[in-house]
């Protein structure tokens, strides 16, 4: 893997494998999603088919009940179970009870389907009269005359209009617990292993779908226009839900409503939370069905207290949405189950429970995914082999120019910027080669600029601009700075005495030594102005001791001039001296100018005052004049004496100025103490005494200046508001 070709092959193979893996994953997920979507759609269709078949079954049951109610034998028995006097409350009900007993005997002796006998076996069947008194029940044929109070289904049936769309036919789901709480025996005792096929027995793990059918008379005339039907009683019939679910599943399979191999599982939930399922359902699913269905029933329908049907708030919802219901998922140990839940209604459209249809998604998708895996593996192997062949061919095509680029890059890394790689073609490799050549040319140009500008700018400025090119744009930042201006005294006379060539030679020698001093103390050289130097500290690099550095630089520049002066005198040139002004304060520093021409410099009042102090040094006969801010910021690094309160031209506020004498710790000259005494007398307006004190130091130029000033003020005293400030009218 050391060669470029090998690395390219490895890279291409890696990309190919990754692309193949992504394609396989996408295909896998697409197949899985499609299969899952198909199962969800089938689940919806299965639930819709179940709903249709359930309603059809109830319609058939109602039709059979209507047919039975019209049977002559049934009519004869039913007409005897009601007494008009008992209904009106005119007797104690004995006449009605005799009619009930007579009807019971007819029912037992008839032994027909009309009275709930199926193939000579009793079914779940009961008859009540209009006062809800039990006429007959197969659950216990000895129970006669019991009142069915507290059975809402009877109330709903008796309140139905037999001429309505439902025809007096209503239904409910009853759990075994509810059956035991009835005031009559509708279903006999528990089923045994040998009696599970006997319909009337109690099934603990099932629900009973109970239909109540209002039986009426066939006629009579209440008026000339309309016949009147009188209610006779209510017939209750029941079927166990599991048997109903099994029959529905068989009917769906035979009618093609479900696909071959459909593994849908059904469940019904009664309003009291009892769940009946057809086929095995995991316990986690059962709990979730009960929870979901109970919540839905509670939120959809208020309790019925008078037997009348209550329309739900969402009766206007789309029929498809009502039939297909809502879907959710349940994760079990057997896999992920998809469940769809819907309302289970009677023929009146009243919700009597919830119906669920569910399928094990993982179990059904796994065979499909197995088939996909079987063709994916050989396909993936073939694609990888093809990718390897293509990768080798492509690597050989790209390796030649890339090898050249690698060799050229190695030369650039070693410092050679004269390399140039031939460009072959206009493809990506050709453009990369051209970009490489442009990059090398740019590096070559940057080195040239770096070498050129280091002659004019401080090296740290150049380095800072290279590290941060954004600082090369016009603009600046505000900083605390110390600015120094230095000027040669006697340069004009010297320029008259020397040829231009000699003058330039002298200046170059001076600037060479001066810039060395500036570099030693971290100064940023701003510019040369003829024989003058402007520089500053604390930019572009921060320097906490910038004022101290500036003061030490000023002292060293004076030493440079003192050393250069004898050399010039030996060449017959007048003696040189220098004046220096220092000031510390805020200023704006940065690349000032246009994009075509700009300087890294500093501007502001701090710069102007430093320039004025350099000129003011001539007034006092000093070599270094500094502001009070610089002295304070130098933190005792140098020995300085206070000279005056000075108001320079163009500035209203006076500044306290000092002469820089020497470094801190050097023995102070004797005249410094005498000058301080004279300055105190001067500011106290004791000009004669001050003059005498200044005249005691004739070797000190500032003392001579102040002696002359005191003499003038003695002859013409200042006004009473004199504050000791000396105003300088010239620059």
């Amino acid at each position: 893997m050391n060669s470029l070709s090998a690395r390219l092959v490895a890279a291409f193979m890696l990309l190919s494998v990754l692309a193949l893996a992504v394609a396989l994953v996408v295909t896998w997920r697409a197949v899985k999603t499609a299969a899952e979507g198909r199962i969800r759609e089938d689940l919806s269709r299965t639930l819709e088919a179940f709903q249709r078949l359930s309603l059809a079954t109830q319609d058939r049951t109602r039709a059979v009940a209507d047919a039975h109610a019209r049977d002559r034998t049934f009519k004869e028995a039913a007409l005897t179970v009601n007494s008009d006097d008992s209904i009106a409350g005119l007797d104690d009900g004995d006449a009605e009870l005799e009619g009930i007993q007579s009807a019971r005997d007819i029912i037992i002796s008839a032994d027909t389907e009309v009275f709930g006998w199926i193939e000579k076996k009793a079914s779940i069947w009961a008859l009540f009269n209009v006062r809800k008194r039990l006429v007959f029940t197969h659950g216990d044929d000895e129970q006669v005359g019991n009142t069915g109070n507290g059975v809402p289904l009877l109330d709903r049936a008796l309140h139905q209009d037999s001429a309505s769309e439902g025809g007096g036919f209503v239904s409910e789901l009853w759990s075994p617990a509810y059956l035991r709480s009835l005031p009559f025996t509708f279903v006999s005792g528990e089923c045994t292993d040998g009696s599970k096929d006997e319909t009337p027995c109690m099934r603990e793990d099932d629900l009973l779908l109970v239909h109540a059918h209002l039986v009426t008379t066939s006629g009579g005339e209440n008026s000339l226009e309309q016949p009147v039907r009188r209610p006779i009683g209510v017939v209750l019939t029941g079927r166990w839900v599991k048997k109903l679910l099994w029959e529905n599943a068989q009917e769906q399979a035979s009618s093609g409503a479900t696909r071959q191999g459909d593994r849908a599982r059904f469940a019904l939930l009664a309003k009291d939370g009892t769940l009946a399922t057809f086929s095995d359902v995991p316990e986690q699913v059962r709990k979730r069905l009960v929870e979901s269905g109970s919540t839905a029933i509670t939120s959809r329908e208020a309790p019925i207290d008078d037997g009348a049907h209550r329309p739900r708030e969402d009766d206007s919802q789309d029929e498809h949405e009502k039939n297909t219901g809502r879907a959710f998922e349940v994760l079990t140990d057997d896999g992920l189950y998809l469940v769809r839940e819907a309302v289970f209604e009677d023929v009146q459209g009243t919700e009597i429970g919830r119906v669920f249809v569910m399928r094990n998604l993982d179990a059904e998708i796994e065979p499909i995914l197995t088939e996909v895996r079987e063709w994916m593996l050989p396909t993936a192997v073939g694609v990888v082999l093809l990718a390897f062949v293509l990768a080798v061919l492509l690597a050989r095509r790209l390796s030649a120019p890339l090898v050249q680029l690698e060799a050229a890059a190695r030369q650039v890394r070693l410092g050679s910027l004269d390399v140039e790689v031939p460009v072959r073609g206009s493809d990506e490799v050709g453009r990369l080669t051209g970009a490489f050549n442009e990059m090398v040319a740019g590096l070559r140009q940057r080195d040239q600029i770096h070498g050129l500008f280091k002659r004019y700018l401080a090296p740290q400025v150049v380095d800072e601009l290279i590290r941060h090119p954004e600082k090369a744009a016009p603009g600046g930042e505000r900083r605390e700075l110390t600015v120094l201006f230095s000027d040669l005294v006697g340069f004009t006379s010297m320029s008259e005495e020397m040829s231009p060539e000699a003058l330039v030679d002298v200046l170059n020698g001076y600037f060479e030594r001066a810039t060395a001093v500036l570099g030693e103390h971290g100064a940023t050289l701003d510019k040369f102005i003829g024989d003058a130097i402007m520089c500053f500290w604390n930019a572009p690099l921060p320097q906490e001791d910038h004022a101290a550095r500036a003061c030490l630089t000023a002292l060293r520049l004076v030493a440079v001039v003192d050393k250069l002066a004898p050399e010039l005198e030996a060449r017959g040139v007048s003696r040189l001296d220098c004046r220096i002004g220092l000031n510390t304060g805020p200023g704006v520093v940065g690349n000032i100018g246009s994009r075509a021409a700009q300087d890294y410099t500093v501007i502001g009042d701090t710069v102007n005052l430093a320039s004025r102090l350099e000129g003011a040094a001539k007034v006092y006969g000093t070599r270094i004049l500094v502001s009070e801010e610089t002295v304070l910021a130098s933190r005792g690094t140098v020995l300085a004496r206070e000279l005056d309160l000075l108001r320079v031209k163009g500035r209203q506020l006076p500044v306290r100025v000092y002469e820089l004498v020497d470094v801190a710790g050097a023995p102070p000259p004797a005249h410094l103490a005498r000058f301080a005494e004279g300055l105190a007398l001067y500011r106290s307006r004791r000009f004669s005494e001050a003059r005498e004190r200044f005249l005691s130091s004739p070797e000190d130029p500032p003392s001579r200046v102040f002696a002359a000033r005191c003499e003038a003020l003695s002859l013409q005293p200042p006004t009473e508001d004199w504050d000791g400030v000396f105003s300088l009218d010239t620059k």
Side-chain angles (χ1 to χ4, degrees):
M1 294 298 293
N2 292 328
S3 68
L4 179 59
S5 298
R7 289 197 296 271
L8 286 173
V9 170
F12 292 145
M13 287 302 300
L14 178 60
L15 291 176
S16 301
V17 170
L18 288 177
L20 178 62
V22 171
L24 292 178
V25 170
V26 171
T27 303
W28 181 273
R29 292 192 62 84
V31 170
K32 186 175 181 180
T33 302
E36 182 178 341
R38 181 66 180 273
I39 292 174
R40 290 181 187 274
E41 292 176 1
D42 290 346
L43 205 61
S44 299
R45 287 194 294 267
T46 301
L47 185 57
E48 287 184 277
F50 175 86
Q51 295 281 63
R52 289 194 301 269
L53 290 173
S54 295
L55 291 176
T57 300
Q58 294 186 57
D59 283 335
R60 287 196 299 269
T61 303
R62 181 181 62 179
V64 171
D66 287 337
H68 289 171
R70 290 191 296 270
D71 183 85
R72 184 174 60 82
T73 306
F74 183 86
K75 288 288 188 181
E76 291 176 357
L79 288 172
T80 66
V81 300
N82 295 296
S83 168
D84 292 338
D85 291 340
S86 297
I87 295 174
L90 300 178
D91 65 7
D92 57 1
D94 290 340
E96 183 178 66
L97 185 58
E98 290 177 2
I100 291 174
Q101 289 283 4
S102 175
R104 171 184 173 277
D105 295 337
I106 295 174
I107 292 171
I108 293 176
S109 62
D111 193 19
T112 65
E113 290 186 7
V114 174
F115 299 110
W117 300 94
I118 300 176
E119 296 180 358
K120 300 187 180 298
K121 292 183 180 180
S123 64
I124 302 177
W125 190 91
L127 173 64
F128 289 82
N129 70 358
V130 293
R131 291 211 304 158
K132 298 187 289 186
R133 297 191 69 179
L134 179 64
V135 177
F136 182 80
T137 172
H138 284 299
D140 186 351
D141 58 11
E142 298 298 326
Q143 291 183 351
V144 175
N146 291 352
T147 301
N149 292 328
V151 183
L153 184 62
L154 289 176
D155 295 328
R156 287 179 56 201
L158 289 171
H159 282 81
Q160 289 290 320
D161 183 2
S162 61
S164 64
E165 182 180 356
F169 189 83
V170 293
S171 306
E172 280 187 3
L173 283 173
W174 287 359
S175 66
Y178 184 78
L179 288 168
R180 294 189 184 92
S181 68
L182 295 174
F184 64 95
T185 303
F186 192 42
V187 180
S188 60
E190 304 293 335
C191 292
T192 63
D193 293 339
S195 64
K196 285 186 178 180
D197 293 333
E198 297 179 13
T199 306
C201 64
M202 188 75 70
R203 303 184 181 186
E204 292 299 329
D205 57 347
D206 209 340
L207 292 174
L208 188 68
L209 179 59
V210 181
H211 304 294
H213 181 234
L214 179 64
V215 182
T216 62
T217 61
S218 58
E221 295 295 328
N222 185 41
S223 66
L224 295 176
E225 293 84 10
Q226 185 173 357
V228 176
R229 294 187 177 189
R230 268 191 321 142
I232 299 175
V234 177
V235 175
L236 298 183
T237 58
R239 296 190 66 190
W240 291 108
V241 164
K242 285 190 177 182
K243 184 174 181 60
L244 176 65
L245 291 175
W246 183 83
E247 291 176 354
N248 274 349
Q250 294 299 314
E251 189 168 351
Q252 288 186 53
S254 62
S255 64
T258 58
R259 296 185 300 110
Q260 183 177 3
D262 193 346
R263 303 176 185 178
R265 307 182 187 187
F266 296 92
L268 280 177
L269 181 72
K271 291 186 177 182
D272 64 357
T274 303
L275 185 72
T277 62
F278 175 62
S279 71
D280 294 334
V281 176
E283 185 62 27
Q284 297 101 314
V285 178
R286 294 179 64 89
K287 290 181 179 179
R288 179 65 188 278
L289 297 185
V290 172
E291 177 185 350
S292 175
S294 300
T295 303
I297 290 173
T298 302
S299 63
R300 285 176 59 89
E301 184 174 271
I304 297 176
D305 56 4
D306 59 358
H309 170 58
R310 294 286 190 261
R312 297 186 299 272
E313 293 181 0
D314 58 350
D315 276 344
S316 61
Q317 67 179 332
D318 181 77
E319 187 67 22
H320 173 75
E321 180 181 352
K322 183 174 70 173
N323 288 339
T324 58
R326 67 187 187 95
F328 55 90
E329 299 175 352
V330 182
L331 183 62
T332 70
D333 297 336
D334 296 336
L336 181 66
Y337 276 77
L338 297 181
V339 182
R340 187 165 284 278
E341 170 189 1
V343 177
F344 187 63
E345 299 176 335
D346 62 7
V347 294
Q348 298 283 353
T350 302
E351 180 179 349
I352 60 176
R354 309 292 288 184
V355 59
F356 302 91
V357 59
M358 67 210 79
R359 292 170 70 172
N360 189 331
L361 179 64
D362 293 340
E364 296 192 40
I365 288 182
E366 184 58 32
I368 301 174
L369 297 181
T370 300
E371 294 180 5
V372 174
R373 278 195 294 265
E374 290 177 354
W375 65 260
M376 269 190 175
L377 182 59
T379 302
V381 172
V383 171
V384 169
L385 292 176
L386 178 61
F388 177 76
V389 174
L390 294 177
V392 171
L393 296 177
L394 188 58
R396 289 180 178 178
R397 178 181 177 83
L398 294 177
S399 61
L402 290 178
V403 167
Q404 288 182 321
L405 280 176
E406 182 188 16
R410 188 180 299 111
Q411 294 182 39
V412 172
R413 186 180 52 131
L414 296 176
S416 175
L417 299 179
D418 298 327
V419 298
E420 184 174 356
V421 181
V423 179
R424 297 186 178 91
S426 59
D427 58 2
E428 288 80 359
V429 177
R431 291 195 294 271
L432 175 62
T433 304
F436 176 81
N437 290 335
E438 291 176 4
M439 179 194 70
V440 174
L443 291 174
R444 208 162 39 234
Q445 184 181 28
R446 192 187 72 170
D447 273 11
Q448 292 171 355
I449 293 173
H450 186 273
L452 177 64
F453 277 94
K454 274 210 170 181
R455 301 177 185 176
Y456 303 100
L457 298 177
Q460 60 266 35
V461 176
V462 178
D463 293 339
E464 181 74 6
L465 293 178
I466 291 175
R467 284 194 298 268
H468 302 284
E470 68 276 5
K471 293 189 177 181
E477 58 178 325
R478 190 175 183 83
R479 279 198 185 186
E480 179 85 6
L481 302 165
T482 298
V483 183
L484 179 148
F485 279 88
S486 174
D487 191 17
L488 289 178
V489 178
F491 179 75
T492 303
S493 300
M494 184 179 64
S495 62
E496 295 174 355
E497 299 172 2
M498 302 179 65
S499 65
E501 293 80 7
L503 184 62
V504 170
D505 183 61
V506 171
L507 274 180
N508 286 342
Y510 164 67
F511 286 146
E512 189 72 31
R513 300 181 189 185
T515 53
V517 172
L518 298 182
E520 291 176 8
H521 291 85
T524 298
L525 177 60
D526 190 310
K527 60 178 69 73
F528 296 124
I529 311 171
D531 60 320
I533 298 174
M534 175 185 173
C535 61
F536 53 89
W537 284 261
N538 205 33
L541 304 178
Q543 299 163 320
E544 293 185 2
D545 57 342
H546 54 91
R549 289 171 179 259
C551 291
L552 295 175
T553 300
L555 293 174
R556 287 285 306 278
L557 289 177
V558 170
V560 167
V561 173
D562 288 343
K563 186 176 181 180
L564 182 62
E567 298 177 7
L568 295 177
E569 286 181 332
R571 298 169 57 179
V573 180
S574 302
R575 184 177 182 86
L576 281 179
D577 204 348
C578 67
R579 285 194 303 268
I580 298 174
L582 283 174
N583 184 34
T584 300
V588 177
V589 61
N591 220 31
I592 310 296
S594 66
R595 293 190 179 274
Q598 51 187 266
D599 288 324
Y600 189 80
T601 186
V602 59
I603 59 175
D605 183 63
T606 299
V607 180
N608 296 334
L609 182 56
S611 177
R612 295 290 189 274
L613 292 181
E614 182 271 321
K618 180 179 180 181
V619 175
Y620 297 97
T622 61
R623 307 174 83 180
I624 306 174
L625 192 63
V626 302
S627 66
E628 183 180 27
E629 286 77 8
T630 302
V631 173
L632 294 176
S634 66
R635 301 174 184 175
T637 304
V638 293
L639 173 64
R641 66 163 165 176
E642 182 181 353
L643 286 182
D644 203 355
L645 282 173
L646 177 65
R647 182 182 292 111
V648 298
K649 185 174 182 177
R651 184 183 172 120
Q652 294 297 322
L653 295 177
V655 59
R656 196 177 300 273
V657 295
Y658 291 74
E659 178 190 19
L660 208 58
V661 179
D662 206 339
V663 297
H671 62 263
L672 294 187
R674 295 193 294 269
F675 181 86
E677 294 172 2
L679 184 61
L681 294 171
Y682 166 78
R683 290 176 176 169
S684 300
R685 303 172 65 95
R686 297 162 63 181
F687 301 116
S688 297
E689 298 177 48
R691 178 174 177 274
E692 292 299 326
R693 179 58 63 184
F694 288 133
L695 289 175
S696 64
S697 303
E699 76 282 3
D700 180 33
S703 295
R704 294 197 298 270
V705 171
F706 271 87
R709 190 185 299 178
C710 288
E711 182 177 2
L713 291 174
S714 296
L715 296 176
Q716 188 177 357
T719 60
E720 291 297 327
D721 60 350
W722 181 74
D723 54 4
V725 175
F726 179 72
S727 297
L728 188 62
D729 297 329
T730 62
K731 295 183 179 181

